[in-house]
Amino acid sequence: MVLNRVTYRRRLSYNTKSNKTILCKTPGGKLVVHYATKKTQVAKCGDCKSALRGIPAVRPVKLASMSKTSKRKLTERMAAASVANVSSPGLYGHSLLRNRRLLPGF
């Protein structure tokens, strides 16, 4: 009779959405716990809720470790969003900002 009981490897001992696990069997036949990462979501426009192009869909920790050139469009849109509406923070789509005359040269 084989027991398939495993224990958490980290301090958090509750089944929360940040503590999801996957059971994995090693080549030696031992059952161990692997931790699953959360699914990513695409950044959306604050007004029309459409997906923003050019912004990678990654977790915030990964976004912080990315190079500056790979997230340059993100910083441009965040700056434009702060100009667009201070009362409701968020990211805004390019077409929305162009229609409101907030991006120069269009």
Side-chain angles (χ1 to χ4, degrees):
M1 187 167 152
V2 178
L3 290 176
N4 288 335
R5 292 183 183 171
V6 292
T7 57
Y8 288 121
R9 307 180 102 189
R10 298 178 184 164
R11 288 179 187 265
L12 182 59
S13 61
Y14 298 104
N15 188 22
T16 61
K17 61 183 178 178
S18 64
N19 202 29
K20 293 300 177 192
T21 59
I22 300 167
L23 292 180
C24 188
K25 193 171 274 194
T26 62
K30 186 179 176 185
L31 205 62
V32 294
V33 169
H34 285 181
Y35 285 92
T37 56
K38 288 185 179 181
K39 291 183 180 178
T40 59
Q41 288 187 340
V42 178
K44 294 180 178 65
C45 173
D47 245 14
C48 61
K49 306 298 183 217
S50 63
L52 295 178
R53 292 170 301 201
I55 298 179
V58 293
R59 299 298 301 166
V61 173
K62 174 76 174 162
L63 194 64
S65 65
M66 286 172 65
S67 66
K68 194 167 187 175
T69 55
S70 62
K71 60 181 181 179
R72 179 162 293 155
K73 290 183 179 180
L74 173 66
T75 56
E76 289 174 4
R77 291 216 170 116
M78 289 176 79
S82 65
V83 172
N85 194 354
V86 178
S87 63
S88 64
L91 298 173
Y92 291 90
H94 186 267
S95 60
L96 180 78
L97 295 175
R98 189 178 63 226
N99 292 341
R100 290 186 183 176
R101 305 272 192 254
L102 294 170
L103 286 179
F106 290 102

